[in-house]
PDB file of all heavy atoms in Angstrom:
ATOM      1  N   PHE A   1      -4.761 -11.055  -2.448  1.00 98.00           N
ATOM      2  CA  PHE A   1      -5.040  -9.659  -2.139  1.00 98.00           C
ATOM      3  C   PHE A   1      -4.190  -9.308  -0.929  1.00 98.00           C
ATOM      4  O   PHE A   1      -4.380  -9.868   0.160  1.00 98.00           O
ATOM      5  CB  PHE A   1      -6.530  -9.446  -1.854  1.00 98.00           C
ATOM      6  CG  PHE A   1      -6.850  -8.081  -1.323  1.00 98.00           C
ATOM      7  CD1 PHE A   1      -6.610  -6.952  -2.084  1.00 98.00           C
ATOM      8  CD2 PHE A   1      -7.380  -7.929  -0.046  1.00 98.00           C
ATOM      9  CE1 PHE A   1      -6.889  -5.680  -1.590  1.00 98.00           C
ATOM     10  CE2 PHE A   1      -7.669  -6.665   0.453  1.00 98.00           C
ATOM     11  CZ  PHE A   1      -7.422  -5.537  -0.321  1.00 98.00           C
ATOM     12  N   LEU A   2      -3.227  -8.421  -1.122  1.00 98.00           N
ATOM     13  CA  LEU A   2      -2.262  -8.111  -0.071  1.00 98.00           C
ATOM     14  C   LEU A   2      -2.649  -6.888   0.749  1.00 98.00           C
ATOM     15  O   LEU A   2      -1.941  -6.539   1.710  1.00 98.00           O
ATOM     16  CB  LEU A   2      -0.873  -7.899  -0.684  1.00 98.00           C
ATOM     17  CG  LEU A   2      -0.344  -9.059  -1.538  1.00 98.00           C
ATOM     18  CD1 LEU A   2       1.008  -8.690  -2.148  1.00 98.00           C
ATOM     19  CD2 LEU A   2      -0.228 -10.339  -0.727  1.00 98.00           C
ATOM     20  N   GLY A   3      -3.762  -6.230   0.370  1.00 98.00           N
ATOM     21  CA  GLY A   3      -4.173  -5.032   1.093  1.00 98.00           C
ATOM     22  C   GLY A   3      -3.072  -3.986   1.081  1.00 98.00           C
ATOM     23  O   GLY A   3      -2.436  -3.736   0.052  1.00 98.00           O
ATOM     24  N   GLN A   4      -2.803  -3.395   2.255  1.00 98.00           N
ATOM     25  CA  GLN A   4      -1.716  -2.406   2.381  1.00 98.00           C
ATOM     26  C   GLN A   4      -0.553  -2.946   3.207  1.00 98.00           C
ATOM     27  O   GLN A   4       0.332  -2.182   3.618  1.00 98.00           O
ATOM     28  CB  GLN A   4      -2.255  -1.124   3.013  1.00 98.00           C
ATOM     29  CG  GLN A   4      -3.264  -0.393   2.139  1.00 98.00           C
ATOM     30  CD  GLN A   4      -3.777   0.881   2.785  1.00 98.00           C
ATOM     31  OE1 GLN A   4      -4.047   0.909   3.988  1.00 98.00           O
ATOM     32  NE2 GLN A   4      -3.929   1.943   1.997  1.00 98.00           N
ATOM     33  N   ASN A   5      -0.546  -4.266   3.430  1.00 96.00           N
ATOM     34  CA  ASN A   5       0.498  -4.850   4.286  1.00 96.00           C
ATOM     35  C   ASN A   5       1.900  -4.551   3.784  1.00 96.00           C
ATOM     36  O   ASN A   5       2.772  -4.094   4.530  1.00 96.00           O
ATOM     37  CB  ASN A   5       0.293  -6.360   4.411  1.00 96.00           C
ATOM     38  CG  ASN A   5      -0.933  -6.709   5.233  1.00 96.00           C
ATOM     39  OD1 ASN A   5      -1.535  -5.839   5.863  1.00 96.00           O
ATOM     40  ND2 ASN A   5      -1.321  -7.969   5.237  1.00 96.00           N
ATOM     41  N   PHE A   6       2.151  -4.829   2.504  1.00 97.00           N
ATOM     42  CA  PHE A   6       3.487  -4.596   1.964  1.00 97.00           C
ATOM     43  C   PHE A   6       3.701  -3.124   1.640  1.00 97.00           C
ATOM     44  O   PHE A   6       4.839  -2.633   1.673  1.00 97.00           O
ATOM     45  CB  PHE A   6       3.709  -5.468   0.730  1.00 97.00           C
ATOM     46  CG  PHE A   6       3.897  -6.922   1.066  1.00 97.00           C
ATOM     47  CD1 PHE A   6       2.807  -7.776   1.148  1.00 97.00           C
ATOM     48  CD2 PHE A   6       5.157  -7.430   1.340  1.00 97.00           C
ATOM     49  CE1 PHE A   6       2.960  -9.113   1.479  1.00 97.00           C
ATOM     50  CE2 PHE A   6       5.333  -8.762   1.678  1.00 97.00           C
ATOM     51  CZ  PHE A   6       4.238  -9.610   1.756  1.00 97.00           C
ATOM     52  N   ALA A   7       2.621  -2.411   1.332  1.00 98.00           N
ATOM     53  CA  ALA A   7       2.747  -0.971   1.087  1.00 98.00           C
ATOM     54  C   ALA A   7       3.253  -0.253   2.339  1.00 98.00           C
ATOM     55  O   ALA A   7       4.125   0.625   2.267  1.00 98.00           O
ATOM     56  CB  ALA A   7       1.398  -0.407   0.654  1.00 98.00           C
ATOM     57  N   LYS A   8       2.721  -0.630   3.496  1.00 97.00           N
ATOM     58  CA  LYS A   8       3.151   0.000   4.743  1.00 97.00           C
ATOM     59  C   LYS A   8       4.554  -0.472   5.139  1.00 97.00           C
ATOM     60  O   LYS A   8       5.354   0.303   5.668  1.00 97.00           O
ATOM     61  CB  LYS A   8       2.140  -0.293   5.843  1.00 97.00           C
ATOM     62  CG  LYS A   8       0.806   0.420   5.629  1.00 97.00           C
ATOM     63  CD  LYS A   8      -0.194   0.114   6.730  1.00 97.00           C
ATOM     64  CE  LYS A   8      -1.504   0.884   6.488  1.00 97.00           C
ATOM     65  NZ  LYS A   8      -2.520   0.581   7.511  1.00 97.00           N
ATOM     66  N   ALA A   9       4.853  -1.746   4.864  1.00 96.00           N
ATOM     67  CA  ALA A   9       6.180  -2.264   5.206  1.00 96.00           C
ATOM     68  C   ALA A   9       7.269  -1.588   4.387  1.00 96.00           C
ATOM     69  O   ALA A   9       8.378  -1.358   4.889  1.00 96.00           O
ATOM     70  CB  ALA A   9       6.212  -3.775   4.999  1.00 96.00           C
ATOM     71  N   PHE A  10       6.954  -1.229   3.136  1.00 97.00           N
ATOM     72  CA  PHE A  10       7.961  -0.644   2.245  1.00 97.00           C
ATOM     73  C   PHE A  10       7.673   0.812   1.887  1.00 97.00           C
ATOM     74  O   PHE A  10       8.304   1.371   0.996  1.00 97.00           O
ATOM     75  CB  PHE A  10       8.088  -1.500   0.977  1.00 97.00           C
ATOM     76  CG  PHE A  10       8.767  -2.812   1.237  1.00 97.00           C
ATOM     77  CD1 PHE A  10       8.032  -3.927   1.609  1.00 97.00           C
ATOM     78  CD2 PHE A  10      10.143  -2.929   1.164  1.00 97.00           C
ATOM     79  CE1 PHE A  10       8.650  -5.142   1.874  1.00 97.00           C
ATOM     80  CE2 PHE A  10      10.778  -4.127   1.438  1.00 97.00           C
ATOM     81  CZ  PHE A  10      10.034  -5.243   1.800  1.00 97.00           C
ATOM     82  N   ASN A  11       6.714   1.403   2.598  1.00 97.00           N
ATOM     83  CA  ASN A  11       6.412   2.820   2.446  1.00 97.00           C
ATOM     84  C   ASN A  11       6.077   3.186   0.993  1.00 97.00           C
ATOM     85  O   ASN A  11       6.624   4.134   0.430  1.00 97.00           O
ATOM     86  CB  ASN A  11       7.576   3.679   2.957  1.00 97.00           C
ATOM     87  CG  ASN A  11       7.149   5.099   3.281  1.00 97.00           C
ATOM     88  OD1 ASN A  11       6.027   5.324   3.736  1.00 97.00           O
ATOM     89  ND2 ASN A  11       8.027   6.057   3.030  1.00 97.00           N
ATOM     90  N   ILE A  12       5.175   2.428   0.402  1.00 98.00           N
ATOM     91  CA  ILE A  12       4.747   2.696  -0.970  1.00 98.00           C
ATOM     92  C   ILE A  12       3.553   3.643  -0.903  1.00 98.00           C
ATOM     93  O   ILE A  12       2.409   3.229  -0.703  1.00 98.00           O
ATOM     94  CB  ILE A  12       4.359   1.405  -1.715  1.00 98.00           C
ATOM     95  CG1 ILE A  12       5.407   0.300  -1.503  1.00 98.00           C
ATOM     96  CG2 ILE A  12       4.202   1.681  -3.212  1.00 98.00           C
ATOM     97  CD1 ILE A  12       4.998  -1.045  -2.054  1.00 98.00           C
ATOM     98  N   LYS A  13       3.835   4.945  -1.047  1.00 98.00           N
ATOM     99  CA  LYS A  13       2.816   5.967  -0.943  1.00 98.00           C
ATOM    100  C   LYS A  13       2.677   6.714  -2.265  1.00 98.00           C
ATOM    101  O   LYS A  13       3.593   6.745  -3.077  1.00 98.00           O
ATOM    102  CB  LYS A  13       3.165   6.970   0.158  1.00 98.00           C
ATOM    103  CG  LYS A  13       3.054   6.433   1.574  1.00 98.00           C
ATOM    104  CD  LYS A  13       3.377   7.536   2.567  1.00 98.00           C
ATOM    105  CE  LYS A  13       3.198   7.073   4.008  1.00 98.00           C
ATOM    106  NZ  LYS A  13       3.523   8.170   4.959  1.00 98.00           N
ATOM    107  N   PHE A  14       1.504   7.342  -2.430  1.00 98.00           N
ATOM    108  CA  PHE A  14       1.293   8.181  -3.608  1.00 98.00           C
ATOM    109  C   PHE A  14       0.486   9.410  -3.206  1.00 98.00           C
ATOM    110  O   PHE A  14      -0.294   9.382  -2.229  1.00 98.00           O
ATOM    111  CB  PHE A  14       0.574   7.398  -4.700  1.00 98.00           C
ATOM    112  CG  PHE A  14      -0.861   7.069  -4.392  1.00 98.00           C
ATOM    113  CD1 PHE A  14      -1.901   7.814  -4.940  1.00 98.00           C
ATOM    114  CD2 PHE A  14      -1.187   6.005  -3.547  1.00 98.00           C
ATOM    115  CE1 PHE A  14      -3.227   7.512  -4.659  1.00 98.00           C
ATOM    116  CE2 PHE A  14      -2.511   5.685  -3.272  1.00 98.00           C
ATOM    117  CZ  PHE A  14      -3.537   6.447  -3.829  1.00 98.00           C
ATOM    118  N   LEU A  15       0.663  10.489  -3.955  1.00 98.00           N
ATOM    119  CA  LEU A  15      -0.108  11.699  -3.758  1.00 98.00           C
ATOM    120  C   LEU A  15      -1.394  11.573  -4.550  1.00 98.00           C
ATOM    121  O   LEU A  15      -1.374  11.514  -5.785  1.00 98.00           O
ATOM    122  CB  LEU A  15       0.684  12.921  -4.224  1.00 98.00           C
ATOM    123  CG  LEU A  15       0.030  14.287  -3.974  1.00 98.00           C
ATOM    124  CD1 LEU A  15      -0.080  14.566  -2.474  1.00 98.00           C
ATOM    125  CD2 LEU A  15       0.819  15.398  -4.669  1.00 98.00           C
ATOM    126  N   ASP A  16      -2.525  11.511  -3.857  1.00 98.00           N
ATOM    127  CA  ASP A  16      -3.806  11.298  -4.523  1.00 98.00           C
ATOM    128  C   ASP A  16      -4.360  12.620  -5.075  1.00 98.00           C
ATOM    129  O   ASP A  16      -3.817  13.703  -4.815  1.00 98.00           O
ATOM    130  CB  ASP A  16      -4.793  10.676  -3.535  1.00 98.00           C
ATOM    131  CG  ASP A  16      -5.892   9.876  -4.239  1.00 98.00           C
ATOM    132  OD1 ASP A  16      -5.969   9.915  -5.479  1.00 98.00           O
ATOM    133  OD2 ASP A  16      -6.669   9.192  -3.529  1.00 98.00           O
ATOM    134  N   LYS A  17      -5.449  12.517  -5.799  1.00 97.00           N
ATOM    135  CA  LYS A  17      -6.067  13.688  -6.429  1.00 97.00           C
ATOM    136  C   LYS A  17      -6.508  14.723  -5.396  1.00 97.00           C
ATOM    137  O   LYS A  17      -6.563  15.929  -5.686  1.00 97.00           O
ATOM    138  CB  LYS A  17      -7.273  13.262  -7.260  1.00 97.00           C
ATOM    139  CG  LYS A  17      -6.920  12.422  -8.480  1.00 97.00           C
ATOM    140  CD  LYS A  17      -8.181  11.988  -9.222  1.00 97.00           C
ATOM    141  CE  LYS A  17      -7.825  11.096 -10.411  1.00 97.00           C
ATOM    142  NZ  LYS A  17      -9.047  10.638 -11.138  1.00 97.00           N
ATOM    143  N   ASP A  18      -6.817  14.257  -4.194  1.00 97.00           N
ATOM    144  CA  ASP A  18      -7.275  15.182  -3.146  1.00 97.00           C
ATOM    145  C   ASP A  18      -6.123  15.834  -2.379  1.00 97.00           C
ATOM    146  O   ASP A  18      -6.328  16.541  -1.396  1.00 97.00           O
ATOM    147  CB  ASP A  18      -8.204  14.467  -2.172  1.00 97.00           C
ATOM    148  CG  ASP A  18      -7.531  13.280  -1.477  1.00 97.00           C
ATOM    149  OD1 ASP A  18      -6.312  13.098  -1.644  1.00 97.00           O
ATOM    150  OD2 ASP A  18      -8.251  12.525  -0.780  1.00 97.00           O
ATOM    151  N   GLY A  19      -4.885  15.565  -2.836  1.00 97.00           N
ATOM    152  CA  GLY A  19      -3.716  16.169  -2.208  1.00 97.00           C
ATOM    153  C   GLY A  19      -3.187  15.430  -0.999  1.00 97.00           C
ATOM    154  O   GLY A  19      -2.224  15.887  -0.367  1.00 97.00           O
ATOM    155  N   ALA A  20      -3.787  14.284  -0.680  1.00 98.00           N
ATOM    156  CA  ALA A  20      -3.357  13.515   0.501  1.00 98.00           C
ATOM    157  C   ALA A  20      -2.394  12.398   0.100  1.00 98.00           C
ATOM    158  O   ALA A  20      -2.506  11.813  -0.977  1.00 98.00           O
ATOM    159  CB  ALA A  20      -4.569  12.932   1.208  1.00 98.00           C
ATOM    160  N   GLN A  21      -1.425  12.143   0.980  1.00 98.00           N
ATOM    161  CA  GLN A  21      -0.528  11.016   0.798  1.00 98.00           C
ATOM    162  C   GLN A  21      -1.226   9.740   1.278  1.00 98.00           C
ATOM    163  O   GLN A  21      -1.739   9.688   2.388  1.00 98.00           O
ATOM    164  CB  GLN A  21       0.760  11.232   1.598  1.00 98.00           C
ATOM    165  CG  GLN A  21       1.697  12.277   1.022  1.00 98.00           C
ATOM    166  CD  GLN A  21       2.504  11.755  -0.147  1.00 98.00           C
ATOM    167  OE1 GLN A  21       2.656  10.542  -0.315  1.00 98.00           O
ATOM    168  NE2 GLN A  21       3.009  12.662  -0.963  1.00 98.00           N
ATOM    169  N   LYS A  22      -1.231   8.716   0.432  1.00 98.00           N
ATOM    170  CA  LYS A  22      -1.922   7.468   0.764  1.00 98.00           C
ATOM    171  C   LYS A  22      -1.053   6.269   0.412  1.00 98.00           C
ATOM    172  O   LYS A  22      -0.232   6.339  -0.493  1.00 98.00           O
ATOM    173  CB  LYS A  22      -3.258   7.380   0.013  1.00 98.00           C
ATOM    174  CG  LYS A  22      -4.229   8.499   0.343  1.00 98.00           C
ATOM    175  CD  LYS A  22      -5.499   8.400  -0.494  1.00 98.00           C
ATOM    176  CE  LYS A  22      -6.444   9.559  -0.186  1.00 98.00           C
ATOM    177  NZ  LYS A  22      -7.670   9.501  -1.030  1.00 98.00           N
ATOM    178  N   TYR A  23      -1.283   5.189   1.144  1.00 98.00           N
ATOM    179  CA  TYR A  23      -0.623   3.925   0.806  1.00 98.00           C
ATOM    180  C   TYR A  23      -1.371   3.243  -0.341  1.00 98.00           C
ATOM    181  O   TYR A  23      -2.610   3.307  -0.408  1.00 98.00           O
ATOM    182  CB  TYR A  23      -0.601   2.982   2.009  1.00 98.00           C
ATOM    183  CG  TYR A  23       0.345   3.403   3.113  1.00 98.00           C
ATOM    184  CD1 TYR A  23      -0.139   3.940   4.297  1.00 98.00           C
ATOM    185  CD2 TYR A  23       1.719   3.246   2.958  1.00 98.00           C
ATOM    186  CE1 TYR A  23       0.722   4.326   5.320  1.00 98.00           C
ATOM    187  CE2 TYR A  23       2.592   3.628   3.974  1.00 98.00           C
ATOM    188  CZ  TYR A  23       2.095   4.165   5.147  1.00 98.00           C
ATOM    189  OH  TYR A  23       2.956   4.546   6.146  1.00 98.00           O
ATOM    190  N   VAL A  24      -0.630   2.590  -1.212  1.00 98.00           N
ATOM    191  CA  VAL A  24      -1.257   1.819  -2.289  1.00 98.00           C
ATOM    192  C   VAL A  24      -1.819   0.517  -1.730  1.00 98.00           C
ATOM    193  O   VAL A  24      -1.537   0.128  -0.592  1.00 98.00           O
ATOM    194  CB  VAL A  24      -0.252   1.500  -3.426  1.00 98.00           C
ATOM    195  CG1 VAL A  24       0.338   2.765  -4.015  1.00 98.00           C
ATOM    196  CG2 VAL A  24       0.850   0.550  -2.929  1.00 98.00           C
ATOM    197  N   TYR A  25      -2.597  -0.159  -2.529  1.00 98.00           N
ATOM    198  CA  TYR A  25      -3.057  -1.523  -2.267  1.00 98.00           C
ATOM    199  C   TYR A  25      -2.407  -2.427  -3.311  1.00 98.00           C
ATOM    200  O   TYR A  25      -2.302  -2.045  -4.488  1.00 98.00           O
ATOM    201  CB  TYR A  25      -4.575  -1.623  -2.375  1.00 98.00           C
ATOM    202  CG  TYR A  25      -5.320  -0.895  -1.282  1.00 98.00           C
ATOM    203  CD1 TYR A  25      -5.575   0.469  -1.386  1.00 98.00           C
ATOM    204  CD2 TYR A  25      -5.768  -1.571  -0.147  1.00 98.00           C
ATOM    205  CE1 TYR A  25      -6.256   1.146  -0.381  1.00 98.00           C
ATOM    206  CE2 TYR A  25      -6.454  -0.903   0.861  1.00 98.00           C
ATOM    207  CZ  TYR A  25      -6.692   0.455   0.733  1.00 98.00           C
ATOM    208  OH  TYR A  25      -7.369   1.121   1.737  1.00 98.00           O
ATOM    209  N   THR A  26      -1.964  -3.609  -2.902  1.00 98.00           N
ATOM    210  CA  THR A  26      -1.235  -4.471  -3.842  1.00 98.00           C
ATOM    211  C   THR A  26      -1.852  -5.856  -3.951  1.00 98.00           C
ATOM    212  O   THR A  26      -2.614  -6.304  -3.090  1.00 98.00           O
ATOM    213  CB  THR A  26       0.248  -4.612  -3.435  1.00 98.00           C
ATOM    214  OG1 THR A  26       0.331  -5.246  -2.154  1.00 98.00           O
ATOM    215  CG2 THR A  26       0.933  -3.260  -3.395  1.00 98.00           C
ATOM    216  N   SER A  27      -1.475  -6.522  -5.043  1.00 98.00           N
ATOM    217  CA  SER A  27      -1.865  -7.925  -5.251  1.00 98.00           C
ATOM    218  C   SER A  27      -0.651  -8.677  -5.776  1.00 98.00           C
ATOM    219  O   SER A  27       0.296  -8.076  -6.297  1.00 98.00           O
ATOM    220  CB  SER A  27      -3.014  -8.029  -6.266  1.00 98.00           C
ATOM    221  OG  SER A  27      -2.527  -7.941  -7.599  1.00 98.00           O
ATOM    222  N   SER A  28      -0.692  -9.985  -5.638  1.00 98.00           N
ATOM    223  CA  SER A  28       0.306 -10.840  -6.298  1.00 98.00           C
ATOM    224  C   SER A  28      -0.368 -12.146  -6.673  1.00 98.00           C
ATOM    225  O   SER A  28      -1.333 -12.568  -6.034  1.00 98.00           O
ATOM    226  CB  SER A  28       1.527 -11.092  -5.404  1.00 98.00           C
ATOM    227  OG  SER A  28       1.193 -11.875  -4.270  1.00 98.00           O
ATOM    228  N   TRP A  29       0.145 -12.782  -7.733  1.00 98.00           N
ATOM    229  CA  TRP A  29      -0.485 -14.002  -8.252  1.00 98.00           C
ATOM    230  C   TRP A  29       0.532 -14.796  -9.057  1.00 98.00           C
ATOM    231  O   TRP A  29       1.450 -14.237  -9.644  1.00 98.00           O
ATOM    232  CB  TRP A  29      -1.721 -13.657  -9.105  1.00 98.00           C
ATOM    233  CG  TRP A  29      -1.632 -12.337  -9.831  1.00 98.00           C
ATOM    234  CD1 TRP A  29      -2.008 -11.108  -9.352  1.00 98.00           C
ATOM    235  CD2 TRP A  29      -1.095 -12.100 -11.139  1.00 98.00           C
ATOM    236  NE1 TRP A  29      -1.754 -10.124 -10.285  1.00 98.00           N
ATOM    237  CE2 TRP A  29      -1.207 -10.700 -11.397  1.00 98.00           C
ATOM    238  CE3 TRP A  29      -0.551 -12.914 -12.121  1.00 98.00           C
ATOM    239  CZ2 TRP A  29      -0.778 -10.109 -12.577  1.00 98.00           C
ATOM    240  CZ3 TRP A  29      -0.128 -12.334 -13.322  1.00 98.00           C
ATOM    241  CH2 TRP A  29      -0.250 -10.946 -13.535  1.00 98.00           C
ATOM    242  N   GLY A  30       0.401 -16.121  -9.047  1.00 98.00           N
ATOM    243  CA  GLY A  30       1.404 -16.916  -9.749  1.00 98.00           C
ATOM    244  C   GLY A  30       0.995 -18.350 -10.004  1.00 98.00           C
ATOM    245  O   GLY A  30       0.166 -18.928  -9.295  1.00 98.00           O
ATOM    246  N   VAL A  31       1.576 -18.901 -11.051  1.00 98.00           N
ATOM    247  CA  VAL A  31       1.532 -20.335 -11.344  1.00 98.00           C
ATOM    248  C   VAL A  31       2.942 -20.776 -11.713  1.00 98.00           C
ATOM    249  O   VAL A  31       3.790 -19.947 -12.060  1.00 98.00           O
ATOM    250  CB  VAL A  31       0.554 -20.688 -12.489  1.00 98.00           C
ATOM    251  CG1 VAL A  31      -0.871 -20.347 -12.130  1.00 98.00           C
ATOM    252  CG2 VAL A  31       0.967 -20.011 -13.803  1.00 98.00           C
ATOM    253  N   SER A  32       3.190 -22.073 -11.673  1.00 98.00           N
ATOM    254  CA  SER A  32       4.552 -22.560 -11.850  1.00 98.00           C
ATOM    255  C   SER A  32       4.594 -23.818 -12.711  1.00 98.00           C
ATOM    256  O   SER A  32       3.573 -24.276 -13.228  1.00 98.00           O
ATOM    257  CB  SER A  32       5.171 -22.868 -10.478  1.00 98.00           C
ATOM    258  OG  SER A  32       4.601 -24.058  -9.942  1.00 98.00           O
ATOM    259  N   THR A  33       5.806 -24.379 -12.820  1.00 98.00           N
ATOM    260  CA  THR A  33       5.987 -25.637 -13.534  1.00 98.00           C
ATOM    261  C   THR A  33       5.231 -26.778 -12.871  1.00 98.00           C
ATOM    262  O   THR A  33       5.159 -27.882 -13.431  1.00 98.00           O
ATOM    263  CB  THR A  33       7.483 -25.997 -13.636  1.00 98.00           C
ATOM    264  OG1 THR A  33       8.158 -25.655 -12.413  1.00 98.00           O
ATOM    265  CG2 THR A  33       8.162 -25.252 -14.776  1.00 98.00           C
ATOM    266  N   ARG A  34       4.647 -26.523 -11.722  1.00 98.00           N
ATOM    267  CA  ARG A  34       3.752 -27.497 -11.086  1.00 98.00           C
ATOM    268  C   ARG A  34       2.587 -27.842 -12.022  1.00 98.00           C
ATOM    269  O   ARG A  34       2.007 -28.926 -11.938  1.00 98.00           O
ATOM    270  CB  ARG A  34       3.244 -26.914  -9.771  1.00 98.00           C
ATOM    271  CG  ARG A  34       2.127 -27.672  -9.114  1.00 98.00           C
ATOM    272  CD  ARG A  34       1.774 -27.052  -7.782  1.00 98.00           C
ATOM    273  NE  ARG A  34       2.570 -27.680  -6.747  1.00 98.00           N
ATOM    274  CZ  ARG A  34       2.078 -28.054  -5.559  1.00 98.00           C
ATOM    275  NH1 ARG A  34       0.820 -27.849  -5.267  1.00 98.00           N
ATOM    276  NH2 ARG A  34       2.848 -28.628  -4.670  1.00 98.00           N
ATOM    277  N   LEU A  35       2.243 -26.928 -12.933  1.00 98.00           N
ATOM    278  CA  LEU A  35       1.164 -27.179 -13.883  1.00 98.00           C
ATOM    279  C   LEU A  35       1.471 -28.388 -14.763  1.00 98.00           C
ATOM    280  O   LEU A  35       0.557 -29.072 -15.229  1.00 98.00           O
ATOM    281  CB  LEU A  35       0.925 -25.953 -14.764  1.00 98.00           C
ATOM    282  CG  LEU A  35       0.297 -24.734 -14.080  1.00 98.00           C
ATOM    283  CD1 LEU A  35       0.203 -23.568 -15.051  1.00 98.00           C
ATOM    284  CD2 LEU A  35      -1.082 -25.066 -13.514  1.00 98.00           C
ATOM    285  N   ILE A  36       2.751 -28.647 -15.011  1.00 98.00           N
ATOM    286  CA  ILE A  36       3.103 -29.836 -15.802  1.00 98.00           C
ATOM    287  C   ILE A  36       2.776 -31.091 -15.009  1.00 98.00           C
ATOM    288  O   ILE A  36       2.273 -32.075 -15.552  1.00 98.00           O
ATOM    289  CB  ILE A  36       4.588 -29.800 -16.215  1.00 98.00           C
ATOM    290  CG1 ILE A  36       4.865 -28.540 -17.060  1.00 98.00           C
ATOM    291  CG2 ILE A  36       4.966 -31.065 -16.995  1.00 98.00           C
ATOM    292  CD1 ILE A  36       6.311 -28.359 -17.457  1.00 98.00           C
ATOM    293  N   GLY A  37       3.033 -31.055 -13.704  1.00 98.00           N
ATOM    294  CA  GLY A  37       2.620 -32.162 -12.854  1.00 98.00           C
ATOM    295  C   GLY A  37       1.118 -32.353 -12.882  1.00 98.00           C
ATOM    296  O   GLY A  37       0.612 -33.483 -12.888  1.00 98.00           O
ATOM    297  N   ALA A  38       0.379 -31.234 -12.914  1.00 98.00           N
ATOM    298  CA  ALA A  38      -1.078 -31.315 -12.993  1.00 98.00           C
ATOM    299  C   ALA A  38      -1.521 -32.000 -14.275  1.00 98.00           C
ATOM    300  O   ALA A  38      -2.426 -32.848 -14.267  1.00 98.00           O
ATOM    301  CB  ALA A  38      -1.686 -29.914 -12.908  1.00 98.00           C
TER     302      ALA A  38
END
């Protein structure tokens, strides 16, 4: 859960339904070939 850390760093904003500019909230997730080792 990345919160708004990267949104603020890269100015990822959107115009919301209430007419206000807001930062998005982001996530990231991953698995790798390490699973073969598992």
Side-chain angles (χ1 to χ4, degrees):
F1 171 63
L2 304 177
Q4 294 180 319
N5 290 350
F6 287 89
K8 291 180 178 178
F10 288 89
N11 200 34
I12 314 172
K13 289 182 177 180
F14 69 101
L15 185 66
D16 205 353
K17 293 178 182 179
D18 60 7
Q21 287 281 340
K22 299 177 182 178
Y23 289 106
V24 302
Y25 292 84
T26 63
S27 80
S28 67
W29 31 272
V31 297
S32 73
T33 39
R34 169 176 269 223
L35 290 176
I36 300 177

